[in-house]
Amino acid sequence: MQKNVVLDAAEDVYDNEIRMNRKIHQKKVVMNKYRNSIIQYGIFFVAVFVIMTTVVGTLVFYGSFYLVLQSESELAYTRAYNVSEMITEMEAHRFLIEYWQENPETIINCSEVKLNAASDAGRMIALKYDVHDVSMINDTIAGSMDPEEQKNFAVYAYSIIKSEMKMINHFEKMTLSGPMLIGVSDDGTKSVLISADDVGFKAGDTVTFREKDKTLYALGKYDLSHAVDDLVHISAIDGTDFVGVAYPIDIDRKTRAIVLVGVSEDVVHSLSRKVTDKIVAAVVNIALVSGIVLLLLLHFGLIKPILKVQSGLREYTGDFNTEGLIDKMKEIKVRNEVGCLADDISIVAGKARENLDAKMALSAEKARLGSEMSFASEIQRSMLPVDFPDRDSEKRFELYASMEPAREVGGDMYDFFFIDDDHLALLIADVSGKGIPAALFMMEAMTMIRDKAVAGKTPAGILSEVNTKLTEHSRDRFFVTTWLMIIELSTGKALEANAGHEKPAFASGGGKYKYVENRHSLALAVMDDIKIDEFKWELKSGDRIFVYTDGVTEAEDRGGQLFGKKRLIETLNEVTGKSQEEILSHVRECVGHFVGDVPGSDDLTMLGFTYYGT
């Protein structure tokens, strides 16, 4: 006994140790996954950081370079435009440009002393031609001057423009060079007419446009984007280079001169490199700080809450403790997607518990209803007569009927009963609606018909009395289609009444089945005081009657096609020589083959009768 106790205690200790080891292993697995997630996100961040730094650095470098270049080019274009305006304000600018081109030595040989002395000559010329300012001298006046006056006028105008250019450089030097005026001769030769002192070109130098010569003349439009996009590169015979923005001076729709303002590429590169270095340094610092903050946020705002969610769900799948899972989710305080997920899990867990309780209650209720429906079905089947008379015992008729409900409790009924020894009643009916209320209404109607069917009453009288009672009692707005026939077996005389039911099929002797086109009345319980028509029959030996409910003809296949009355007649005529049981079985088999696996939506009820007489 003691040995067993010791063994049990040892087994308990061993089991506890196993459980502890399993928990430790699970914790290690979780921690390893946690570290792996940090590593994965860290690697991802480093890769993104490197890519973004490279891309941003490149874009910033080229962006700052072109931004500075654009700014310098726009400023150069504006300055070139202003210089051209200053030149064209002189009314004799056409004469002056042509004179400077044709007589370059006049300008080349002008020393600073001569230029200063030119102002006196200019004033004399203005007085001589009675103008307030020498700029008011037009081409006509200039052309009428003698050669010495033209020379003095050209030198004077040159001195004015040169001094204006020097003043521009003095007050707006910045990173630009120039300006410079280049003349364009008829043969396309381009030579320097006026040049600022810092350009490196002097008057009379012939220059060559190295590239983009065709875009030069498009710069005459007042669109700064052309100047920004199209810098002009020129070079002199001695190899001196000049990069600048051009603005043309057009005379008679032809470019006769070009104003150039230079842009220093070295300065642009220097400025862009400084800007780039500062921006890249700032980007790197911001990226590093952002990375650290991102990892911390990732740790406290994502990884830890996700681990709590994972732990709570793992415990829930083991014990299905809804309250424990909800408490675990409430511990997650972060306000992000994980927090929302924890709230949703709590809601889902609560709903799952409610649904489980509701499902259990529903299952119990369903079981109770199933039991009640089964009981109701048994009651309904017990009311259907199944003891069909044997032809050999009476030798007067053969009868068979069947009812296959679409649900546990059907809405169709059939019946047959003797009113007396010589009168047999055949009855088939179909109630609107389904379920127990409809079945109860049907049983009430059938019971009334049996009670009213006493000797001497006709089918029309029986159905009229039943309709009155049903109309009084029909609170649920049910109605019943009913076919009733009473047959005098000794003579074959019969009376038929049809209250809204399907028309019966009749076969005379050994012939084919056809529908009997007698008019039917309204269904029972539709309204009070309906007129029910009655029809006489004269049955002969071998005559057959087949009555049914609309569940037979309205059976649908998968394509929505109905079995139909025509197909029913064809089916009946395939077995005219068979017994009524065989006929009904054949019809049921054909309907089942037609609908296939489509579930039935209505009851299938049929009754077959053959009269043989005495």
Side-chain angles (χ1 to χ4, degrees):
M1 185 71 176
Q2 288 181 344
K3 185 177 180 181
N4 291 335
V5 172
V6 172
L7 288 175
D8 292 340
E11 288 178 357
D12 291 339
V13 172
Y14 179 71
D15 292 339
N16 290 333
E17 186 176 356
I18 289 177
R19 284 193 291 269
M20 290 297 295
N21 290 335
R22 185 180 293 114
K23 289 183 179 179
I24 293 172
H25 175 71
Q26 290 177 350
K27 188 173 182 180
K28 287 181 178 180
V29 170
V30 173
M31 290 303 296
N32 287 334
K33 289 182 178 178
Y34 166 70
R35 286 196 294 269
N36 290 339
S37 298
I38 290 292
I39 292 172
Q40 291 172 3
Y41 280 102
I43 293 173
F44 174 76
F45 172 75
V46 170
V48 172
F49 168 73
V50 172
I51 294 173
M52 288 185 62
T53 302
T54 303
V55 173
V56 171
T58 303
L59 292 177
V60 168
F61 176 80
Y62 286 105
S64 61
F65 172 79
Y66 286 110
L67 182 64
V68 175
L69 182 60
Q70 180 183 14
S71 177
E72 294 296 311
S73 300
E74 290 177 354
L75 180 59
Y77 183 84
T78 304
R79 187 169 297 174
Y81 168 75
N82 291 336
V83 172
S84 68
E85 286 290 301
M86 177 184 65
I87 294 173
T88 54
E89 282 179 359
M90 301 187 71
E91 296 185 14
H93 65 276
R94 174 176 182 174
F95 166 82
L96 291 172
I97 291 172
E98 292 177 354
Y99 187 89
W100 291 333
Q101 285 180 295
E102 295 171 358
N103 304 279
E105 69 283 351
T106 300
I107 306 304
I108 294 172
N109 296 329
C110 283
S111 63
E112 200 67 34
V113 177
K114 290 184 178 180
L115 290 177
N116 292 333
S119 60
D120 295 333
R123 283 193 293 271
M124 296 300 294
I125 294 172
L127 290 173
K128 179 179 179 179
Y129 291 98
D130 195 19
V131 293
H132 299 290
D133 192 326
V134 74
S135 62
M136 300 175 63
I137 296 175
N138 55 34
D139 293 335
T140 304
I141 297 173
S144 63
M145 295 178 183
D146 59 45
E148 187 64 24
E149 288 178 337
Q150 289 179 347
K151 177 181 176 181
N152 291 334
F153 176 60
V155 172
Y156 178 63
Y158 176 85
S159 67
I160 294 174
I161 296 173
K162 183 79 179 256
S163 63
E164 291 289 339
M165 287 183 176
K166 286 183 178 182
M167 188 176 298
I168 289 175
N169 279 340
H170 178 71
F171 289 105
E172 301 182 44
K173 178 64 180 173
M174 299 186 69
T175 58
L176 304 179
S177 59
M180 179 169 53
L181 180 65
I182 296 176
V184 182
S185 61
D186 292 337
D187 59 2
T189 303
K190 301 176 183 64
S191 58
V192 178
L193 302 181
I194 305 175
S195 175
D197 296 334
D198 62 342
V199 175
F201 292 83
K202 60 182 181 298
D205 287 348
T206 301
V207 296
T208 303
F209 284 74
R210 293 173 55 190
E211 56 182 278
K212 298 185 179 178
D213 185 39
K214 293 182 180 179
T215 63
L216 174 65
Y217 303 108
L219 297 176
K221 299 177 182 179
Y222 297 94
D223 186 359
L224 296 181
S225 61
H226 292 285
V228 173
D229 295 336
D230 299 301
L231 294 177
V232 177
H233 295 248
I234 64 172
S235 60
I237 296 176
D238 60 0
T240 304
D241 287 330
F242 184 86
V243 179
V245 175
Y247 191 90
I249 297 176
D250 294 337
I251 299 174
D252 296 335
R253 298 182 181 180
K254 186 175 181 181
T255 300
R256 305 300 299 180
I258 301 166
V259 177
L260 288 179
V261 176
V263 179
S264 175
E265 287 184 310
D266 293 335
V267 174
V268 172
H269 282 291
S270 176
L271 289 173
S272 61
R273 277 197 300 270
K274 291 179 181 180
V275 174
T276 301
D277 292 342
K278 291 181 179 180
I279 294 179
V280 169
V283 169
V284 171
N285 292 330
I286 293 172
L288 289 174
V289 174
S290 300
I292 296 172
V293 174
L294 175 63
L295 290 176
L296 292 175
L297 292 175
L298 184 66
H299 171 74
F300 292 103
L302 186 63
I303 299 299
K304 289 190 70 176
I306 286 178
L307 288 176
K308 286 187 178 181
V309 171
Q310 185 182 19
S311 174
L313 290 176
R314 185 183 291 110
E315 294 176 1
Y316 179 73
T317 54
D319 54 15
F320 293 101
N321 184 359
T322 303
E323 290 74 15
L325 177 62
I326 293 175
D327 292 339
K328 197 83 172 179
M329 295 301 103
K330 288 181 179 179
E331 295 176 2
I332 300 173
K333 303 297 184 181
V334 293
R335 299 176 63 85
N336 56 18
E337 290 82 354
V338 181
C340 295
L341 176 62
D343 294 339
D344 292 342
I345 290 174
S346 299
I347 295 173
V348 170
K351 292 294 183 182
R353 172 61 65 183
E354 293 176 4
N355 291 339
L356 181 60
D357 295 341
K359 188 175 182 180
M360 294 176 64
L362 183 62
S363 298
E365 181 67 15
K366 187 176 181 181
R368 184 184 66 80
L369 290 176
S371 177
E372 293 180 358
M373 291 291 287
S374 178
F375 182 68
S377 179
E378 289 294 332
I379 294 176
Q380 186 182 48
R381 281 196 295 270
S382 67
M383 293 188 63
L384 294 173
V386 293
D387 187 12
F388 302 106
D390 188 359
R391 173 187 168 187
D392 295 333
S393 63
E394 296 290 338
K395 298 184 182 294
R396 292 188 296 178
F397 65 90
E398 179 188 359
L399 176 66
Y400 191 80
S402 68
M403 196 272 282
E404 183 177 330
R407 300 182 182 180
E408 291 86 348
V409 179
D412 292 357
M413 288 287 283
Y414 70 84
D415 197 5
F416 58 91
F417 54 90
F418 283 97
I419 298 174
D420 54 35
D421 291 340
D422 195 33
H423 289 84
L424 175 68
L426 303 179
L427 175 65
I428 190 167
D430 184 4
V431 66
S432 62
K434 302 294 180 186
I436 292 179
L440 292 175
F441 189 78
M442 171 62 80
M443 286 188 281
E444 181 183 7
M446 299 294 280
T447 302
M448 287 184 182
I449 292 173
R450 269 183 172 267
D451 292 342
K452 300 294 182 182
V454 295
K457 286 192 176 182
T458 64
I462 294 170
L463 295 184
S464 294
E465 293 182 18
V466 171
N467 177 69
T468 301
K469 292 293 183 181
L470 289 178
T471 305
E472 295 175 357
H473 298 164
S474 180
R475 299 178 180 177
D476 296 324
R477 302 300 179 185
F478 291 118
F479 62 87
V480 184
T481 65
T482 309
W483 180 88
L484 176 63
M485 175 177 277
I486 298 178
I487 305 170
E488 188 177 52
L489 296 176
S490 59
T491 63
K493 294 181 179 179
L495 292 176
E496 173 212 11
N498 189 337
H501 199 75
E502 302 291 328
K503 295 179 180 179
F506 175 74
S508 177
K512 300 291 185 179
Y513 278 97
K514 296 180 181 178
Y515 288 112
V516 178
E517 299 296 335
N518 290 338
R519 184 178 60 188
H520 59 211
S521 307
L522 291 177
L524 303 183
V526 172
M527 59 182 296
D528 197 7
D529 297 331
I530 62 174
K531 183 179 183 302
I532 298 178
D533 296 323
E534 194 171 69
F535 299 93
K536 295 180 179 180
W537 291 55
E538 295 285 344
L539 298 179
K540 298 179 181 179
S541 180
D543 289 352
R544 287 159 292 159
I545 300 173
F546 178 83
V547 288
Y548 55 94
T549 60
D550 57 4
V552 178
T553 54
E554 294 180 5
E556 292 186 13
D557 63 4
R558 185 167 295 278
Q561 185 179 3
L562 300 181
F563 187 75
K565 293 184 177 181
K566 181 180 179 181
R567 188 177 279 106
L568 174 60
I569 286 292
E570 293 173 352
T571 302
L572 290 171
N573 289 328
E574 292 173 355
V575 286
T576 54
K578 302 291 184 179
S579 67
Q580 287 297 335
E581 182 177 358
E582 291 173 325
I583 291 173
L584 266 62
S585 298
H586 178 68
V587 173
R588 179 66 191 89
E589 181 180 351
C590 291
V591 172
H593 180 73
F594 175 78
V595 300
D597 58 354
V598 178
S601 59
D602 203 355
D603 306 333
L604 297 178
T605 305
M606 298 176 285
L607 186 148
F609 176 81
T610 303
Y611 176 73
Y612 293 107
T614 56

